[in-house]
Amino acid sequence: MSIDIPRLQPALLEQLQGKLKLPAYDPSATGIGIVHIGPGAFFRAHQAWYTDLALKYGGDWGISVVSMRSNDLAKALTPQQGLYSLVLLDKTTEYQVVGSIRELLVAAEQYEQVLQRLAAPSSFYVTLTITEKGYCLNALGELDLTHADIQHDLQSNVKARSAIGLLVQALSLRFAANVPPFVLLSCDNLTDNGHKLRNAVLTFARQKQPALANWLEQQLLCPCTMVDSITPATDEELPKQLASELGYQDNWPIKREKFCQWVIEDILPAHRPAWHQVGVTYTQDVKAFEKAKLRLLNAPHSALAYLGSLCGLETVFDAMQQPALRQFVQQLAQDEIIGSFHAPAELNPTEYSVDIFQRFDNPAIRHLLAQIAWDGSQKLPMRVFPIILDNLAAGRSIRLLSRVVAGWLLFIRLRYQQQPNTALVDPLAKTLLDCAAACSGDAAKDTALFVALEQVFPPSLQQSNIFKAELASAYQQLSPLLLSAQGTDVATFLQDLVK
């Protein structure tokens, strides 16, 4: 890349006026009110972006970014004074500069500075995207006191290795100085994330400093949240694209789909960024939003993954270009999913479903069906089986839902046929492939082999004659797709898919 192209810095923003969307405030004049731990691409495309938009309405809500170990982002963005480019991918591409990051710190190298920033009275909020692993939880969703990093942090008063240990150490400093605790916002895709984070912090504090734990029990706020937006990894072409299109260099730009969602449990104090004015939803029922996402996004995603793979297709976008598959998932949502749950007051499920299918139809997002198809034995019990059970209890149809399950079973058989060239990615891969090996093509017998798996199918489905009959019927109808996946024409078959 030519050294004549200027680098993204505050002094360059004036020259970029009119070329792309820029911060509607002066980043350099914005104080820090938020600390974020775990600054991956999703955080920069999501929480930092929302905060950037909210800063238009005022307040010292700049973000101090803290990485526990890696200094890669600090090296990339510190010379740019925290500025970076966000590319929004859709049928048309949009560009903007985000200016909400005011400071980049690395706990492994600047521990005292990180601790002081967290302890500062001006740090009102701490947000986290540290992945599920970063919370050091056990299988019950509780803090794992035997975890090596937690053990280290409980026994040491120096540098914490875990995010939980760091947070409690900072909260201890605030307790000693009579400064109220910061509000903790987990922004990871973890069910009941706020409750699990709060319980982990309290459990650690009880082991370390019981008086601190008592104080936190009374004062610590950890709202549950739900987040959603596809954020592909930055590739080598993205900086080149910016240089070519807009004429500047960016050390680490990011990209995401245009759709973005952030739902926060409505227990925040009044002193908060103007997130509500830039699209953030506050609700008393985050769980209802999680259920809506599981049912209206994840269940159709799985349907496309298995049926699309059986049709020899590669991506979600490819699957949506098949009129019959598009009609199938739309009919699935309308006829068998939307009526299966009570939507929260803040959500219109029909409009939400339309938004989801528009996302699926985004040509700029290359979302592989094979990847969505991974771990079906873990995903379907979360995404599809609860809808079937609710519909059975209410006397509603499960015909299309049964086709999703049958598609998964045939997908497993396809992977069995494709061995050793293509693997089945699933924690129960061996068990599932053993079932596939025993299949004969008789729909009732084949489906019974899989339904008997107690690790996958709950007893209520194993005992449901309606479900077993619908599943066998769907399996029989979809069986020709095993040949389709080997290269035969699928157009005629797809015409019959939604009948």
Side-chain angles (χ1 to χ4, degrees):
M1 191 176 292
S2 170
I3 60 172
D4 296 327
I5 299 178
R7 187 169 305 283
L8 180 59
Q9 290 182 340
L12 185 65
L13 295 182
E14 188 173 347
Q15 299 176 39
L16 295 175
Q17 289 285 349
K19 292 187 175 182
L20 73 166
K21 187 174 181 179
L22 300 173
Y25 58 95
D26 181 359
S28 63
T30 302
I32 292 173
I34 302 170
V35 181
H36 181 82
I37 300 175
F42 183 81
F43 153 72
R44 291 202 283 146
H46 192 273
Q47 297 95 48
W49 174 77
Y50 275 114
T51 303
D52 177 81
L53 298 183
L55 281 166
K56 172 184 177 180
Y57 300 95
D60 286 324
W61 298 114
I63 304 173
S64 172
V65 163
V66 174
S67 172
M68 292 299 291
R69 295 172 182 84
S70 172
N71 61 9
D72 291 346
L73 187 65
K75 285 182 177 179
L77 296 193
T78 297
Q80 299 177 182
Q81 296 186 42
L83 298 177
Y84 62 92
S85 310
L86 173 62
V87 181
L88 300 179
L89 305 172
D90 211 315
K91 293 180 174 65
T92 58
T93 302
E94 298 177 18
Y95 301 91
Q96 71 182 90
V97 171
V98 176
S100 54
I101 292 179
R102 304 302 309 126
E103 172 181 80
L104 295 107
L105 303 174
V106 181
E109 301 172 3
Q110 302 159 290
Y111 193 82
E112 286 304 317
Q113 193 174 344
V114 168
L115 208 52
Q116 291 308 312
R117 174 59 70 191
L118 285 165
S122 57
S123 296
F124 289 96
Y125 292 87
V126 175
T127 58
L128 300 95
T129 48
I130 55 177
T131 74
E132 184 171 353
K133 183 173 67 173
Y135 294 88
C136 303
L137 305 179
N138 59 24
L140 298 176
E142 300 167 348
L143 185 67
D144 182 1
L145 293 173
T146 67
H147 190 286
D149 288 347
I150 297 300
Q151 281 283 305
H152 171 273
D153 295 348
L154 285 172
Q155 296 167 12
S156 169
N157 292 313
V158 194
K159 289 185 178 181
R161 292 179 182 171
S162 69
I164 300 299
L166 172 63
L167 290 171
V168 173
Q169 198 171 358
L171 287 165
S172 180
L173 293 177
R174 295 175 79 102
F175 177 53
N178 199 28
V179 174
F182 37 65
V183 178
L184 273 175
L185 276 168
S186 167
C187 299
D188 284 294
N189 272 315
L190 180 65
T191 303
D192 283 338
N193 54 13
H195 299 149
K196 288 175 180 174
L197 174 58
R198 188 176 194 272
N199 289 338
V201 168
L202 290 173
T203 298
F204 188 100
R206 290 188 192 104
Q207 297 287 320
K208 191 84 170 176
Q209 192 178 351
L212 171 65
N214 291 336
W215 179 69
L216 292 174
E217 186 79 52
Q218 300 300 317
Q219 299 199 41
L220 183 63
L221 290 178
C222 291
C224 289
T225 71
M226 191 196 83
V227 296
D228 190 15
S229 194
I230 297 173
T231 308
T234 297
D235 53 29
E236 294 180 358
E237 293 304 312
L238 195 61
K240 296 177 184 177
Q241 180 181 335
L242 286 167
S244 173
E245 296 283 334
L246 298 167
Y248 68 86
Q249 297 183 55
D250 186 335
N251 287 338
W252 202 336
I254 56 171
K255 55 186 176 180
R256 69 159 166 82
E257 65 171 328
K258 192 171 183 179
F259 177 91
C260 201
Q261 185 181 30
W262 192 6
V263 179
I264 302 176
E265 185 181 3
D266 195 7
I267 59 172
L268 296 186
H271 186 54
R272 65 179 82 168
W275 287 325
H276 66 288
Q277 292 188 250
V278 296
V280 174
T281 300
Y282 289 95
T283 182
Q284 296 295 331
D285 195 356
V286 174
K287 278 188 175 181
F289 277 88
E290 291 175 344
K291 178 178 282 191
K293 180 181 174 183
L294 273 171
R295 298 198 173 192
L296 285 171
L297 186 150
N298 296 138
H301 240 177
S302 289
L304 289 176
Y306 299 122
L307 296 174
S309 295
L310 288 168
C311 292
L313 303 172
E314 191 174 6
T315 69
V316 171
F317 177 76
D318 294 339
M320 289 295 286
Q321 303 322 295
Q322 294 285 342
L325 283 176
R326 177 192 294 267
Q327 184 183 348
F328 176 80
V329 290
Q330 290 174 338
Q331 193 171 326
L332 172 70
Q334 188 61 44
D335 294 355
E336 297 189 6
I337 297 180
I338 286 178
S340 72
F341 69 101
H342 295 291
E346 302 85 358
L347 183 74
N348 181 314
T350 300
E351 292 178 1
Y352 181 52
S353 182
V354 169
D355 287 341
I356 286 168
F357 292 128
Q358 288 177 347
R359 296 172 68 187
F360 291 176
D361 213 15
N362 187 340
I365 299 295
R366 186 173 170 76
H367 207 166
L368 296 176
L369 295 176
Q371 192 172 46
I372 300 168
W374 289 351
D375 304 331
S377 69
Q378 311 300 302
K379 290 177 178 175
L380 265 65
M382 296 286 291
R383 299 180 174 190
V384 177
F385 294 171
I387 312 175
I388 293 175
L389 289 169
D390 286 346
N391 283 7
L392 285 171
R396 290 168 48 86
S397 171
I398 61 166
R399 183 174 61 92
L400 301 180
L401 289 161
S402 296
R403 292 183 184 178
V404 179
V405 182
W408 176 54
L409 304 187
L410 290 164
F411 172 82
I412 295 168
R413 286 189 62 192
L414 176 64
R415 285 292 189 260
Y416 173 75
Q417 292 174 7
Q418 292 173 334
Q419 291 183 110
N421 297 322
T422 307
L424 176 66
V425 181
D426 194 290
L428 296 179
K430 185 180 184 305
T431 299
L432 296 171
L433 291 172
D434 286 346
C435 285
C439 286
S440 63
D442 181 298
K445 292 180 179 178
D446 288 358
T447 54
L449 286 170
F450 289 100
V451 172
L453 297 175
E454 296 179 354
Q455 311 98 305
V456 181
F457 289 86
S460 46
L461 283 186
Q462 291 177 322
Q463 296 161 14
S464 170
N465 291 328
I466 296 174
F467 169 67
K468 288 186 287 188
E470 287 280 13
L471 181 60
S473 174
Y475 183 93
Q476 183 69 41
Q477 186 200 14
L478 293 176
S479 291
L481 281 179
L482 279 178
L483 294 175
S484 300
Q486 296 170 9
T488 60
D489 178 45
V490 300
T492 303
F493 173 83
L494 288 176
Q495 291 175 4
D496 297 328
L497 180 62
V498 294
K499 291 182 180 179

